[in-house]
Amino acid sequence: MAIPHWLLMSALFLLSLLAQISAQEPGCSVSNNNPSVPENKCPYVVATIHVQQDFSLTIDPSYPDGQFFTIEGAELQLTKCVDYEEDPVLLLSLTCKDPAGQSDSLQILVTILNENDNSPVFPQPNITRQIPEDTEVDTVIVAREEVTATDADLDTIYYELTTTVQNTDGYFAIRGVNNPEIYLQTALDYDKFNSTTLLLYARDRPVTSPEPTHTTTATITITIKQSDTRAPWFLPCTQLHNDTSVCISSPYSGRVNISEMSTDPLLLEPGPIYAVDPDYTISDRIVYRIVGGNTNEVFSVDADTGNLTMNKIVTSPDSFLLQVMATQVSNVRKYSVATVEIKVITKSNFPPYFEKGVYNGTVFVGLPQRSFVYQAGDPSTPLVITAMDQDFPDKVNPNIEYYLKNSTDFIATRDGLILTNKVLESPGTVTIQAVGKDVLSLQEASTIIVVEIILATAITPSDKMYSAQDMAILGGTLAALLLIALVLLGVLVWKSSRWHRKSFKYLVKKKLSKEISGGHQNKYYQEDEQPDVSTKQHETSESSSVQAETPVPGQPALASHFSSAEETESLPKGSIASTVIFDQEEEEEEKEEEAGQEKEVKSILKTDRHMADDGYKAVWFKTDVDPEAGERVEVIEDNAADDDDDDSDQDVQKNEEEEEEEGSDTDGHHQGLGVSFSSESSSIPAAKVTVSMSHTGAGTEDTEI
């Protein structure tokens, strides 16, 4: 059967097309022509390969980077580790051969990935610096270039500065976390430290970073050189609050004898004049001179040694207060001034001494601090040491002070008493050296004190002693009891006087009223001779009451007015002249009892004359003044003139105003004027008496007997 021509031609065309397509397909291929590989990681699969049958694939050795790779089956592997810092990119070529021997090349570019596998590096891991003590703050100690670290990974470096020496923190610092320049942050003090060691850390990650971090350390050793920063110090001195940069010295003191020349250097306290340079590594030389207080140039000081000597004698007892300046030779601005007090005293010819070589005392265990040490054998007498001095007439030198040398359990007072300085807990015997020192002449005397410490149970009841504290407590208790007793007694007296005040006044009033009204009024005179006397008394009650209540100096009362002279003297003169004035409350209670009684009167009979008292009215008997006058009685006229009467009226009016201020309710009840005579006066025969009475608003009335 014949094949159609068109069909044959179509088949040939398809065969040729298939042959062409098969000839274009490669015999070798790779999955990635540009792979990336991390550094320092091997073996590592770089890519996968595909090779057709009868084809072969090999690594071209003409490329040097081909040594790092190998073909294992269908994988292209990196067999040698590669450092990014050395080979960031690798290039290799693969050769593919077909069965006919023809070859083709495949080039692969391998990129090496950078990893953080390097630590920072300092240019100088150990640095040393020497700086002066007076270096100014903010001065650069180590430059930035000397302490800047590098990192092969090209990472950013972070810095941190610390110190390894205690108490040196904060003196040095870096400019910033990424700037390692070191500078002085706080002023230096050589006495606090003279060297330190700093550690500078360099990190390729921040301190707080969770990623792995590489750190490098640089050591900086700093030595401080002392500078001349302080003035001289006078010794001895005391540091202020344990600060070695400040030292306070005490003033010096010494003594010289008046009118006596001393050629030796003066002995001073607490020691000779001496100053040092506190910058002891420099130790500059010190010179001395007196800059004040050296009156008449009596003293001089050695410029190099500081010894103080006399140039002339002192004739005045006045003390000297010298000012001595110590200056550094190399720097005159570094200086200090100390005071030296020189006392002028009378020469001491004899040193003090103790009459006893050994003093014996006893003290009990458990006594409080500052308890007395008593004389041995006499537990009632405190132990006293006394130093004598023959320079004084009574051998008592008031300038001696006492102290104990070798014991801290006891102390000595200025008067020589020995006291405990703590609570003694166990018995035993203590031997103490006591010193008595004349604070003016500086002479001393010493003695021995043997103190026996005994148990309190060894004391008999008769010998038991009490401390000053016990006696003070007892005295305070007794004083409190006495005060309470006095307060109670005062309360009782006050209450008693309050309860009996009314009864006492009432008895006095009754007795006085009875004696005056009943026993001393001249009833015959009132009834027979003067029937209208009561009327006149009533008319002149106001003025006469004032006169009666006004005491007359030197006017004695008649003996017949009262039955007892003691009662008369115990009462005020105003009570004798007028009715006793009581409180308003008592007068109201006793109005009924006093209503029937006559008003008290005062006798105007006098045996002495008061010529100087203006307005004074008196009746006196000649016989009492002049015995030879017989029975003749003269009437003494009023010495005051009419003008005096006006003055008397003014006085009476003033007295009335005072009476009104004391109580207007009692004026009408107690005022009044009466005339009474004793029995002796009425017995005088043929006596003619004229009574002159003056009162406000009335003339003078004469009454004849």
Side-chain angles (χ1 to χ4, degrees):
M1 177 178 172
I3 299 174
H5 179 69
W6 61 272
L7 181 61
L8 182 61
M9 293 300 294
S10 299
L12 292 174
F13 177 75
L14 290 173
L15 290 174
S16 60
L17 180 62
L18 292 172
Q20 184 177 1
I21 294 172
S22 61
Q24 291 177 354
E25 292 182 359
C28 304
S29 62
V30 295
S31 61
N32 189 0
N33 292 332
N34 189 17
S36 296
V37 178
E39 66 174 334
N40 299 326
K41 287 187 178 181
C42 58
Y44 188 85
V45 177
V46 177
T48 59
I49 61 177
H50 178 71
V51 180
Q52 293 184 7
Q53 190 177 4
D54 298 333
F55 280 79
S56 63
L57 184 64
T58 59
I59 298 175
D60 189 352
S62 61
Y63 285 82
D65 294 339
Q67 60 180 337
F68 294 96
F69 300 92
T70 185
I71 297 175
E72 294 290 341
E75 296 178 347
L76 178 63
Q77 295 182 358
L78 179 66
T79 56
K80 292 183 179 180
C81 295
V82 180
D83 191 356
Y84 170 82
E85 287 73 27
E86 295 179 1
D87 298 307
V89 178
L90 298 177
L91 180 63
L92 75 159
S93 177
L94 300 178
T95 302
C96 182
K97 290 182 179 182
D98 59 9
Q102 295 181 355
S103 62
D104 191 9
S105 298
L106 297 176
Q107 292 183 349
I108 299 175
L109 180 65
V110 180
T111 301
I112 306 302
L113 300 178
N114 187 20
E115 297 288 338
N116 185 21
D117 59 346
N118 294 288
S119 298
V121 178
F122 283 105
Q124 299 181 48
N126 294 286
I127 300 175
T128 301
R129 288 289 184 273
Q130 186 179 38
I131 60 175
E133 179 187 10
D134 57 352
T135 300
E136 294 183 1
V137 174
D138 204 38
T139 300
V140 176
I141 305 301
V142 182
R144 179 177 183 177
E145 295 77 13
E146 298 180 74
V147 287
T148 298
T150 58
D151 190 353
D153 298 325
L154 302 180
D155 293 326
T156 302
I157 307 301
Y158 300 89
Y159 300 93
E160 181 184 1
L161 184 66
T162 62
T163 180
T164 62
V165 180
Q166 189 177 6
N167 299 327
T168 60
D169 294 336
Y171 284 90
F172 300 93
I174 57 176
R175 295 294 183 184
V177 67
N178 300 121
N179 184 357
E181 182 180 82
I182 300 174
Y183 70 99
L184 181 63
Q185 183 175 247
T186 304
L188 299 173
D189 188 347
Y190 185 85
D191 290 334
K192 292 183 178 180
F193 68 96
N194 51 31
S195 65
T196 186
T197 300
L198 306 177
L199 296 179
L200 181 62
Y201 296 94
R203 298 182 176 90
D204 55 9
R205 294 289 185 274
V207 177
T208 58
S209 176
E211 299 179 8
T213 304
H214 295 86
T215 304
T216 302
T217 304
T219 303
I220 299 97
T221 302
I222 297 179
T223 303
I224 301 172
K225 182 180 179 181
Q226 191 174 36
S227 302
D228 189 8
T229 59
R230 288 171 293 188
W233 288 351
F234 282 95
L235 300 181
C237 64
T238 304
Q239 292 180 355
L240 186 63
H241 305 301
N242 296 325
D243 186 359
T244 57
S245 62
V246 179
C247 198
I248 306 300
S249 60
S250 301
Y252 298 94
S253 62
R255 285 107 179 134
V256 295
N257 296 326
I258 191 170
S259 302
E260 182 176 335
M261 182 71 178
S262 175
T263 57
D264 298 329
L266 301 182
L267 298 177
L268 304 178
E269 288 186 343
I273 299 175
Y274 181 62
V276 296
D277 184 2
D279 303 317
Y280 50 87
T281 60
I282 300 174
S283 189
D284 196 4
R285 189 167 68 92
I286 307 297
V287 292
Y288 307 90
R289 63 192 179 105
I290 300 175
V291 294
N294 193 12
T295 306
N296 297 327
E297 302 297 327
V298 175
F299 302 97
S300 61
V301 64
D302 188 280
D304 295 323
T305 63
N307 289 331
L308 195 66
T309 55
M310 297 183 65
N311 297 327
K312 59 183 71 173
I313 63 174
V314 180
T315 59
S316 172
D318 297 335
S319 299
F320 293 84
L321 191 62
L322 306 178
Q323 294 178 339
V324 179
M325 184 172 69
T327 309
Q328 293 182 202
V329 173
S330 62
N331 190 351
V332 294
R333 294 185 178 182
K334 297 293 189 300
Y335 68 90
S336 295
V337 177
T339 59
V340 183
E341 183 182 10
I342 304 297
K343 295 181 179 180
V344 181
I345 63 174
T346 303
K347 182 179 180 180
S348 176
N349 297 317
F350 301 95
Y353 67 93
F354 286 97
E355 293 182 338
K356 291 183 179 181
V358 178
Y359 289 84
N360 295 285
T362 59
V363 69
F364 305 124
V365 174
L367 291 180
Q369 186 180 6
R370 294 188 177 274
S371 296
F372 287 114
V373 174
Y374 293 93
Q375 294 183 6
D378 186 5
S380 62
T381 304
L383 178 63
V384 181
I385 59 174
T386 304
M388 315 304 291
D389 193 339
Q390 294 183 1
D391 289 321
F392 295 83
D394 53 359
K395 297 184 179 181
V396 177
N397 186 350
N399 302 317
I400 292 180
E401 294 183 354
Y402 302 93
Y403 65 93
L404 306 181
K405 271 191 174 181
N406 58 342
S407 176
T408 58
D409 297 342
F410 300 89
I411 58 174
T413 66
R414 182 180 179 87
D415 299 327
L417 292 169
I418 307 301
L419 307 177
T420 60
N421 198 32
K422 69 174 186 178
V423 178
L424 304 175
E425 299 179 353
S426 59
T429 302
V430 179
T431 302
I432 309 170
Q433 182 181 6
V435 177
K437 181 178 180 180
D438 187 340
V439 296
L440 291 182
S441 65
L442 303 182
Q443 295 174 320
E444 295 181 350
S446 62
T447 186
I448 300 298
I449 302 175
V450 179
V451 180
E452 183 180 0
I453 306 172
I454 60 177
L455 295 173
T457 56
I459 311 171
T460 61
S462 60
D463 295 335
K464 186 175 181 180
M465 300 302 299
Y466 297 93
S467 64
Q469 184 178 4
D470 297 335
M471 299 304 295
I473 295 174
L474 178 60
T477 303
L478 293 177
L481 292 176
L482 179 59
L483 179 60
I484 293 173
L486 291 175
V487 171
L488 292 176
L489 181 59
V491 171
L492 292 176
V493 171
W494 177 76
K495 287 186 176 181
S496 176
S497 62
R498 186 177 182 185
W499 293 340
H500 298 288
R501 184 187 305 166
K502 179 177 178 180
S503 59
F504 173 75
K505 292 183 176 181
Y506 180 76
L507 291 176
V508 172
K509 177 179 179 182
K510 295 291 289 183
K511 181 175 180 63
L512 190 61
S513 300
K514 181 178 179 181
E515 291 181 356
I516 295 177
S517 62
H520 300 284
Q521 286 185 351
N522 194 337
K523 297 181 179 181
Y524 298 99
Y525 169 78
Q526 292 179 353
E527 296 176 0
D528 300 335
E529 300 294 332
Q530 296 291 338
D532 57 344
V533 68
S534 59
T535 305
K536 294 183 178 180
Q537 287 178 353
H538 179 72
E539 293 176 355
T540 60
S541 59
E542 184 175 355
S543 62
S544 59
S545 176
V546 175
Q547 294 180 358
E549 292 181 2
T550 305
V552 180
Q555 179 180 354
L558 296 178
S560 59
H561 284 191
F562 302 98
S563 59
S564 175
E566 296 178 356
E567 296 178 358
T568 305
E569 294 176 356
S570 63
L571 296 175
K573 293 182 179 181
S575 299
I576 300 173
S578 63
T579 303
V580 178
I581 299 176
F582 296 96
D583 296 336
Q584 186 174 359
E585 295 179 357
E586 296 177 358
E587 292 175 358
E588 292 177 356
E589 294 176 359
E590 309 246 348
K591 281 183 179 180
E592 295 179 359
E593 297 179 3
E594 297 293 332
Q597 295 181 2
E598 297 179 2
K599 298 181 180 180
E600 291 81 351
V601 296
K602 175 184 175 184
S603 175
I604 61 173
L605 299 180
K606 307 297 289 184
T607 59
D608 54 347
R609 301 180 61 182
H610 296 271
M611 305 300 295
D613 296 340
D614 296 338
Y616 179 82
K617 279 72 177 180
V619 177
W620 60 282
F621 295 93
K622 185 68 174 178
T623 54
D624 295 336
V625 180
D626 188 4
E628 297 179 358
E631 299 179 353
R632 184 171 58 86
V633 177
E634 294 182 1
V635 177
I636 302 302
E637 298 294 337
D638 190 357
N639 294 327
D642 296 338
D643 295 337
D644 297 335
D645 291 340
D646 296 337
D647 296 337
S648 178
D649 294 342
Q650 294 177 0
D651 295 337
V652 171
Q653 185 177 0
K654 182 178 181 180
N655 292 335
E656 289 176 356
E657 293 176 356
E658 295 177 355
E659 289 294 333
E660 291 177 358
E661 293 177 357
E662 294 178 0
S664 59
D665 294 339
T666 60
D667 290 344
H669 181 71
H670 293 288
Q671 289 179 353
L673 176 63
V675 180
S676 62
F677 297 92
S678 65
S679 59
E680 294 179 359
S681 301
S682 60
S683 64
I684 299 176
K688 183 178 181 181
V689 180
T690 302
V691 180
S692 299
M693 301 170 56
S694 62
H695 55 84
T696 305
T700 302
E701 297 184 3
D702 296 336
T703 302
E704 295 183 358
I705 300 177

